Structure formats: C-alpha cells, structure tokens
Amino acid sequence: MHHSFRKPKALVPLALVQLALVLSSPAARAEADVLPPAVRNANAQLLSQFFAQGGASPAVLEYRRKLAEYQAARAAFDAEAGAYWSQIYEKRKTRNAKRRSGQQITLDDYVLEHPPLYNGPKKPVNPEETPERPRKPIPVTADFLRAAQELYRFTPQRPTSEVEFKRAYARYALASGLTREQAVRVYAFETGGTGTHDVQAGIEHGGKRAISTAMGYNQLLTTNSVELLAEQGHELIRALSEKVTRTPGPARHALEHKLAVLKKMVAHAKSVPDTWSEHEKMGRTPQGWAMHAMVLDIDIGPMLQTHKLLTSVLFARAKGHSRPLSAAELEMMNLTGDGTGLDMVTMPQAMREQVPTSNFFQRGGYERNPVAIRHNTVAKLLAVTDQRMDANSSKAGARELAAAF
C-alpha cells in the first residue's frame, strides 16, 4: 500500500524562542542599545533566523504575554462575578414568586453585598488584526422622515414653535392623568432641561453623533414607538378620531390622512408578537423608523410622550400602589422597566438605604451604568435622580414646559 508523508516543518530551537521572548521586552531592547556591535549583530541574526522559521515578531510576543495576563485576570473575575449575579437572579425569582402569592418582601429577599468590579489589565490590541469595520450608523431624524414618506406616503406635521408642542403635550398629559411635576421633572432629567421635541440622544449640548434612537421629551427609542403603537394604538386612534370630528374644512382632510396612516402603523405594529424583543426587531427596520417619525408629529407626538410615562403610572396603580409616584420614582420605572422599577418604588425607606442597586439590573446593564455603580443603593440612586431633576428644572426648556401646564 502506498503511503504519502508530509515533510515535517523545521523545528524552532528552544533557545531562539527564549531569546525572542527576552529581547521583546522593553527593558531588554533598551539594554541592547549599549551592547557591542558584534553581539548586537549576532542577536539580530538569531532573531532573523527565528522569524524566518515561523516565529512571531516582538510586538506579537508582547501582545500574547499581555493577553495571557488579561485572560487569567478576567477568568478569575468572571468566576467571582458569575456566582454573584447568579445569586441576584435567584433572589429576583424568589421575590417575584412571593409577590404572586401575596407574601411580604423582606431584606432577606435581596443580595445585600455589592457586586465585584473588574479592575485588572485591559484586553490588549492584537497587532496582527485589521481594524474593526465601522459600526452601522444610528438612524437620525432625516432617516425617520424618509422612511415615513417612502412606506406610508406621510410627513409628520411639525410644530410651528417649540412652545406649541409643549402646550399640546401639557394638555394631553394632564387630561390623561400625569401631573405637572411628573412631566416637567422627567423632561428635565431626560433632556437636561433644554431639549426640543426632536432632540436625539448624542445630538444635544454640542454633540455631533447620535448614540441611540432615543428622541423627544421622554427619550423614546424606536422600540418604544413600536410598542406604544401596538399596545396603546387603540387610544391614539380614538383621540385622533375625536379631533377629526371637531375639525372643519381643509385641515380635516389632512387629519383624515394622518388617521388612516396611524391605523396602518398600528396594524403593522400589532402584526408581530407583543414582546420587547419583537418590537426591537421591527424598530431596527425602515418600518420601525417610519413609526418613530410619529414622535415628531404635533398631534401624535405628545400622545406618545405621554403614554411612555402613563403606562408606568397605570402599571403601579394596577399593582395596588395607590400613592402618586414621585418624578424620581417614575423615572426609575421609565429606566429599568415597570416590574423592576415598581420593586424599588414599593420599598420602605429603611430598606432603600441598604439594598444595592445591582438587585435591579442584569449584569451587563449594571457594568455599563456608572451612575448605578457610583450611587450604589436604591436611596442613593433616587437621591441623585432628584438632584439632577432639581438642577435641570430651572433651565429654560423646563420652565417653558412648566408654564405650558
């Protein structure tokens, strides 16, 4: 039987590997400069031979050394953090079960230690890898408007002035059950007290690049717009239908077209399962962008801004929380989700002082949230939220919104 054999690769002598490792360090390179020329030339020849036989460059060897250090430190941290966040998850499950059965929640139902934070070496950059492709740009107002025109033949009706939008928002918010304090202070927190109806995250206060699709007084994401159309679409249609019946002449025709478009958008939003993940998928498409354009409309925009907050108010009320939510409490529900936010809102003050904020986050979200890390108990997080609301409520935009009420 015929056998074929591959020619074995030339083996790199261990001494050359060791020499390359030694000479790749910064200290060794500095010392090499003072060696006699003959020695330096001999070292250079050995290294050239090493690289010719498939060895790595000093930069790559240094990268591999740093990578090994990083991986060891990260593995140790992940083992510790994994155990901590598993405990957070189990405690959350226990709390949810106790609430369903009407049992009282106590301090024992929370993890009272703060999570470990990684403070080891950073992951090094591989000199052999090509730079990452630039990220796909985040859509902005022009993209939302283009999608609305292309898919629905519709252009949102923009306000003639910012105060016109604020007045429309104030009227609808008050009629729906929001208070002036809730609306103004959340606006002050979300926009810094100066935001316009079309302000987008990242493109404000001198920012040049969008960092998310969050837009408007209460910073709705595309996912929020899709979800609100799916879940509150019947109310939006009812309110706009009433305005149509009250409006005479040519203006009525424009409103009738707007109502027809709104009905189509609501139907499309309802065409996917009513879950955040499905709404998020739609929000990444031109169809979701077109729906998000409604945030800019003088009639529908104020309704979307209102329902972004109102759903949390109604959720708390449905769960038996009759006391009006403070603006900071409402913001917690706005930021973390209704169920998680209500967990904080219903907590007695004495417990708020002791319970770490980590109990209300997923690990990834917590580790990317410097505010929750720095203000690491429920009481501290609510306090800093109130402080920011206090400071921003005195700014021009917040004062103008307050006057609109």
Side-chain angles (χ1 to χ4, degrees):
M1 183 181 294
H2 176 72
H3 294 278
S4 61
F5 296 93
R6 289 184 179 180
K7 183 179 179 181
K9 293 182 179 179
L11 296 176
V12 180
L14 179 60
L16 287 178
V17 176
Q18 293 171 333
L19 177 65
L21 286 169
V22 170
L23 294 182
S24 67
S25 71
R29 289 196 297 271
E31 291 176 5
D33 292 337
V34 299
L35 292 174
V39 177
R40 288 204 304 271
N41 292 338
N43 287 342
Q45 283 183 328
L46 284 170
L47 286 175
S48 296
Q49 180 184 354
F50 173 69
F51 297 140
Q53 294 180 24
S57 69
V60 171
L61 290 168
E62 180 72 2
Y63 160 74
R64 290 174 182 170
R65 181 187 66 78
K66 290 182 176 179
L67 180 62
E69 289 180 354
Y70 165 78
Q71 289 173 332
R74 191 75 206 187
F77 168 74
D78 284 339
E80 182 184 6
Y84 177 88
W85 288 100
S86 292
Q87 191 181 9
I88 289 283
Y89 173 74
E90 293 301 325
K91 291 280 189 179
R92 185 179 295 129
K93 277 204 315 183
T94 299
R95 291 198 303 276
N96 291 339
K98 289 182 74 170
R99 283 196 183 88
R100 285 193 297 269
S101 62
Q103 297 180 59
Q104 186 176 357
I105 307 298
T106 69
L107 270 178
D108 290 338
D109 297 311
Y110 297 93
V111 177
L112 300 182
E113 296 80 26
H114 295 288
L117 296 175
Y118 180 73
N119 58 3
K122 294 181 179 179
K123 185 177 182 180
V125 177
N126 187 345
E128 294 183 316
E129 287 183 355
T130 55
E132 293 183 5
R133 292 181 180 178
R135 292 182 179 180
K136 191 175 181 180
I138 294 169
V140 294
T141 299
D143 301 301
F144 306 141
L145 294 174
R146 188 183 310 112
Q149 182 57 231
E150 290 176 355
L151 295 178
Y152 293 95
R153 297 292 181 264
F154 178 74
T155 299
Q157 181 186 350
R158 306 292 289 274
T160 56
S161 66
E162 196 60 34
V163 72
E164 181 189 13
F165 198 97
K166 286 188 169 83
R167 286 171 180 161
Y169 174 47
R171 282 194 303 271
Y172 189 81
L174 275 178
S176 301
L178 288 184
T179 68
R180 175 188 179 193
E181 181 199 29
Q182 289 170 333
V184 173
R185 288 175 68 79
V186 171
Y187 163 87
F189 182 87
E190 291 283 358
T191 74
T194 59
T196 55
H197 73 286
D198 58 354
V199 65
Q200 186 170 351
I203 312 177
E204 83 273 0
H205 310 303
K208 304 295 184 185
R209 183 178 62 84
I211 59 174
S212 82
T213 59
M215 189 164 62
Y217 295 168
N218 297 323
Q219 290 290 282
L220 279 72
L221 299 164
T222 52
T223 311
N224 293 125
S225 293
V226 174
E227 186 154 281
L228 288 169
L229 286 168
E231 297 178 354
Q232 306 299 324
H234 60 285
E235 171 59 27
L236 306 184
I237 291 170
R238 184 199 62 76
L240 191 60
S241 297
E242 287 183 357
K243 184 168 184 177
V244 170
T245 61
R246 297 193 307 267
T247 306
R252 178 168 181 152
H253 297 306
L255 280 176
E256 286 173 339
H257 174 57
K258 187 184 297 188
L259 179 60
V261 170
L262 177 61
K263 288 178 178 178
K264 287 181 183 178
M265 287 186 175
V266 170
H268 291 154
K270 289 178 177 290
S271 68
V272 299
D274 187 12
T275 64
W276 180 264
S277 60
E278 289 298 321
H279 295 153
E280 189 174 36
K281 287 178 187 176
M282 183 173 282
R284 295 195 191 109
T285 68
Q287 192 168 68
W289 299 357
M291 295 176 187
H292 200 43
M294 284 301 198
V295 172
L296 306 171
D297 185 81
I298 185 61
D299 293 309
I300 300 171
M303 292 193 281
L304 290 172
Q305 297 291 349
T306 294
H307 283 284
K308 173 69 156 34
L309 303 183
L310 188 62
T311 51
S312 296
V313 171
L314 296 178
F315 179 86
R317 195 175 298 162
K319 295 295 183 180
H321 188 73
S322 57
R323 176 179 59 79
L325 296 171
S326 72
E329 291 173 336
L330 182 55
E331 183 60 33
M332 287 303 103
M333 296 181 71
N334 191 27
L335 288 174
T336 64
D338 288 339
T340 300
L342 189 63
D343 194 355
M344 286 190 268
V345 166
T346 55
M347 187 182 296
Q349 183 62 32
M351 288 175 62
R352 290 181 180 185
E353 301 285 350
Q354 300 178 64
V355 175
T357 54
S358 53
N359 284 275
F360 311 99
F361 288 85
Q362 302 295 327
R363 176 182 172 182
Y366 182 85
E367 291 177 348
R368 292 191 300 270
N369 192 324
V371 176
I373 292 172
R374 193 177 307 117
H375 307 280
N376 57 11
T377 65
V378 174
K380 289 179 181 178
L381 187 58
L382 284 166
V384 75
T385 302
D386 261 325
Q387 289 166 12
R388 190 173 299 178
M389 288 176 171
D390 289 340
N392 293 338
S393 291
S394 63
K395 295 183 179 177
R399 291 200 311 270
E400 188 176 68
L401 180 58
F405 279 83

